Amino acid sequence: LTLILVAAAAAAPVRAQNEAQFHLKPGASGKLCLDCHVEFQEVVKKASVHTPVKGGQCVSCHSPHVADHGKLLAASPDAICATCHGAMIPAEAASAHKPGAEGHCVSCHDPHASPNKANLIRARNDLCLGCHADVKSSLESATHRHAPVDRNCLECHDPHASKNTKSLLRKAPPSLCLDCHKPGQPGFAQ
């Protein structure tokens, strides 16, 4: 509850600033958009809603009048997410997810809302394996599979970048493996 109150308080000055910037009537920021974009009344009912959408802050990403970018985006499509989310890829990353590095955040995330956590366009492995067909094929034909692979690719891989390891690994092996596999336990084979 405290987090919600803090977020609402933080959104109030932004809302007033955007309304003044675009000469909107006070309180019109998101409500005015929904008068024409009625489909968004259903969008905001999804499980994961992007914070500006939830707060009726359409003008955080869209200009209400004119823009140099499609969909009246306030910045270029490959930079719009970074205006709030900053650089998701560290400057000296050892490996980076190509869509994120190129600013194609919407390849994986819905900018408005989704039934999946983090506004992912599909759930967990379905999303990863949708592009990584070679991995999907290997998994389907494998006799034995590592259980975490079936659960969630992100247990071992960072979806955006890895500062120190290749293949988007969260840690370098064997340290990554030893997070789950304890050498002192029975059944551990070296």
Side-chain angles (χ1 to χ4, degrees), residues 87-120:
M88 298 300 292
I89 312 292
E92 300 86 31
S95 58
H97 195 215
K98 187 176 178 182
E102 293 176 351
H104 302 297
C105 305
V106 296
S107 296
C108 298
H109 301 275
D110 187 298
H112 299 111
S114 166
N116 305 301
K117 284 184 178 182
N119 287 17
L120 293 175

